Amino acid sequence: MARLKLIIEYGFYLFVFLLPWQTRLIWRDSYLNGYVWEYGRFSLYGTEILFWLVIFCYLLWLVGNKKLSPLSLSQLGSQLKSPQVVIYWLVVLLAVWAGLGVVWSLSSQLAYYRWIVLLEAVAVIAVVLNLNFSTKRLAAVWLSAASIQSVMAVWQFGQQLVWANKWLGMATQFPNQPGSIILQTTSERWLRAYGSLPHPNILAGWLVIALMFLFYLAFTVQTKSWRIFILTNLVLIVPALFFTFSRSAWIGLIVALVLLGFWLRRCWDNNAKKIFYQLIFLMLIILTLLSLVFKDLLLTRLTGAQQLEANSIELRLAFTQQARELIANDWLTGTGIGNYTLGVFQQLNATWPGYYYQPVHNIYLLVVSELGLIGGMIFAAIIAGWCWLVVRQQRSALNLEKVIIGLNFLIILIISLFDHYFWSLYFGLVVFWLILAFNLKLYSTGLNES
């Protein structure tokens, strides 16, 4: 059993490391108005296969350790006193409600497919809660993946090209190609950095979490090899994050670093504060140099002065209005999980090309649109439960590990105000529940029960 547990642990770390790679088999393609409809596609990702192998080993481990025996009522009552367990069962309840929604969804096949992906997220939480994973190893794996993505991102921005590779799940992108994510100044079009992910904002979400893990490692490991690893990653990740030009990720990172700085000032020793200020200073130097070189692009992104930026903002507002109309049409049960864009097509606007149909760029509205008021309330209860765990934590039990993991989930919640991928895409959904799972694991100790 010890060897099997080791296979599960390192299989899980490999899964996290490979997660940014979008290699997939599209086993059913979908089109709306003659164009590809991404949110109607049925895909099997390579990392999903790896994850289900990990789950299979995990089930064997449960059987071998006799952890699948039914709970008595007294055992169940005892477990429900734990906030960690209550939040987990709320996640299970969310998955059950989404599964019931397959019956009344606009497309039962699409809802069933998306429900399976949600079940994978529930499985992620179960594995994390029941096995002892190292936050330090998770941080190192996340950073290693981020460094590879950062090298690709910087190269892509420098060459103004994302090359196609079907085995790596990458499509060709260049500044003058319709559909590519660009910035446009008065005279030029610039391709934003993608890495191996389908959108620059998604890459940025991975990188800001990586930066928080970088700070965690900087405070906890002091050997020369680790310092080289940390500094190398900082020098790679900061420019890559800049070249994504993702405003939501920038906001999330700024909020997290400010809160981390306040916590370090009150709770940690002078050496940690010194390391923090040194890393912040190095980041500011890199960002200042990049801002001076790419001043026009940065101002365009921050001010939204160019027509392309204004059109993007108007489109986001249109998506928000569509979400409100879908909620008004079916506020109790919603369109069904994964059926948002189909709902827009069938109920609101059937004239757009397929690539124009996108989920609302706010996962809170998206969840309510797809799962209705009941699903939205369950989702809100999960977030509220996490907030309760953090607020009720005893100061004496609040260590650096908990702060970093908590801030990473806060970053996700902030980005989720402005984007949809933490609910609408397999990659984002797994990241969302993975970080929540580590929060539940760590914050279940040191609660103030007075």
Side-chain angles (χ1 to χ4, degrees):
M1 287 296 111
R3 183 175 296 178
L4 183 59
K5 191 174 180 181
L6 198 63
I7 292 173
I8 296 169
E9 180 181 0
Y10 283 91
F12 181 81
Y13 294 140
L14 179 61
F15 165 72
V16 174
F17 177 77
L18 296 176
L19 196 55
W21 297 97
Q22 301 298 289
T23 304
R24 61 174 173 167
L25 171 66
I26 301 174
W27 52 275
R28 199 189 83 174
D29 222 335
S30 297
Y31 300 87
L32 285 180
N33 294 333
Y35 292 88
V36 171
W37 173 37
E38 176 61 36
Y39 300 97
R41 280 175 161 173
F42 288 21
S43 303
L44 176 66
Y45 288 84
T47 50
E48 285 184 276
I49 299 173
L50 174 59
F51 179 70
W52 283 111
L53 289 173
V54 172
I55 290 295
F56 176 73
C57 293
Y58 171 66
L59 292 175
L60 291 179
W61 178 82
L62 288 177
V63 172
N65 286 274
K66 299 180 180 179
K67 291 181 177 290
L68 287 179
S69 57
L71 290 174
S72 66
L73 289 177
S74 60
Q75 288 175 315
L76 181 60
S78 175
Q79 285 198 8
L80 288 177
K81 292 180 181 179
S82 166
Q84 168 202 45
V85 176
V86 171
I87 295 173
Y88 174 73
W89 283 107
L90 282 171
V91 176
V92 173
L93 182 60
L94 183 71
V96 170
W97 176 251
L100 292 174
V102 173
V103 176
W104 58 74
S105 61
L106 299 177
S107 168
S108 59
Q109 289 184 334
L110 185 55
Y112 183 74
Y113 164 71
R114 290 298 303 170
W115 179 62
I116 294 297
V117 177
L118 183 60
L119 290 182
E120 292 175 349
V122 177
V124 167
I125 299 180
V127 172
V128 171
L129 292 183
N130 283 284
L131 296 173
N132 292 321
F133 294 103
S134 164
T135 304
K136 185 180 293 186
R137 288 175 181 170
L138 176 70
V141 167
W142 203 292
L143 271 173
S144 298
S147 64
I148 295 173
Q149 294 297 316
S150 297
V151 170
M152 291 177 60
V154 172
W155 187 93
Q156 289 166 355
F157 186 80
Q159 297 294 314
Q160 286 296 286
L161 172 69
V162 176
W163 68 89
N165 189 310
K166 68 176 182 178
W167 300 110
L168 299 178
M170 297 169 59
T172 301
Q173 310 285 350
F174 52 88
N176 294 319
Q177 178 185 9
S180 293
I181 310 301
I182 66 162
L183 274 175
Q184 184 168 0
T185 64
T186 54
S187 58
E188 296 177 298
R189 293 166 61 93
W190 288 79
L191 185 73
R192 294 165 57 188
Y194 281 71
S196 66
L197 289 151
H199 196 286
N201 290 347
I202 304 176
L203 171 62
W206 183 270
L207 295 181
V208 293
I209 294 174
L211 281 173
M212 296 308 297
F213 278 135
L214 184 147
F215 277 89
Y216 168 70
L217 291 176
F219 299 144
T220 55
V221 292
Q222 299 297 324
T223 62
K224 183 177 180 180
S225 59
W226 274 109
R227 288 176 181 172
I228 294 173
F229 176 76
I230 290 165
L231 289 175
T232 301
N233 274 277
L234 186 72
V235 172
L236 290 173
I237 293 173
V238 172
L241 179 60
F242 181 87
F243 292 141
T244 65
F245 291 96
S246 175
R247 292 172 294 200
S248 59
W250 293 350
I251 292 170
L253 179 63
I254 290 170
V255 171
L257 288 178
V258 169
L259 292 175
L260 178 61
F262 276 120
W263 183 79
L264 288 171
R265 187 175 181 181
R266 296 180 60 186
C267 303
W268 264 55
D269 56 45
N270 290 329
N271 185 52
K273 296 172 189 175
K274 181 181 177 181
I275 293 172
F276 176 77
Y277 292 126
Q278 287 174 340
L279 292 177
I280 292 294
F281 182 68
L282 181 55
M283 288 177 64
L284 289 176
I285 290 177
I286 296 171
L287 291 173
T288 299
L289 292 174
L290 291 172
S291 298
L292 291 173
V293 174
F294 300 102
K295 179 179 64 175
D296 290 344
L297 289 176
L298 183 62
L299 289 175
T300 296
R301 191 62 175 155
L302 293 179
T303 63
Q306 294 298 321
Q307 186 60 44
L308 193 64
E309 293 295 309
N311 291 343
S312 176
I313 294 172
E314 290 177 5
L315 192 59
R316 284 172 176 257
L317 293 175
F319 291 155
T320 301
Q321 181 58 35
Q322 287 174 346
R324 291 172 177 168
E325 291 179 27
L326 285 181
I327 293 171
N329 289 347
D330 199 345
W331 59 270
L332 183 61
T333 57
T335 62
I337 186 169
N339 277 256
Y340 177 90
T341 53
L342 182 61
V344 173
F345 174 77
Q346 291 185 354
Q347 300 178 16
L348 303 179
N349 189 332
T351 62
W352 282 351
Y355 60 83
Y356 234 61
Y357 290 94
Q358 298 181 38
V360 58
H361 286 55
N362 180 305
I363 74 164
Y364 311 104
L365 286 176
L366 181 56
V367 170
V368 177
S369 299
E370 293 190 346
L371 302 185
L373 179 63
I374 296 175
M377 290 175 65
I378 299 171
F379 188 76
I382 294 169
I383 305 302
W386 171 79
C387 293
W388 188 91
L389 277 178
V390 174
V391 171
R392 299 285 288 180
Q393 192 77 192
Q394 291 180 3
R395 180 176 294 181
S396 60
L398 191 62
N399 56 31
L400 177 67
E401 188 178 21
K402 293 179 181 179
V403 170
I404 293 296
I405 288 293
L407 289 175
N408 273 337
F409 194 63
L410 178 63
I411 286 172
I412 289 174
L413 296 181
I414 291 172
I415 293 175
S416 296
L417 289 167
F418 309 100
D419 222 319
H420 58 78
Y421 62 87
F422 284 118
W423 179 262
S424 61
L425 298 179
Y426 157 75
F427 168 85
L429 198 64
V430 170
V431 170
F432 184 98
W433 298 113
L434 172 63
I435 298 299
L436 176 60
F438 272 88
N439 272 264
L440 299 184
K441 184 77 171 184
L442 295 174
Y443 278 93
S444 60
T445 59
L447 288 177
N448 182 3
E449 302 292 355
S450 60

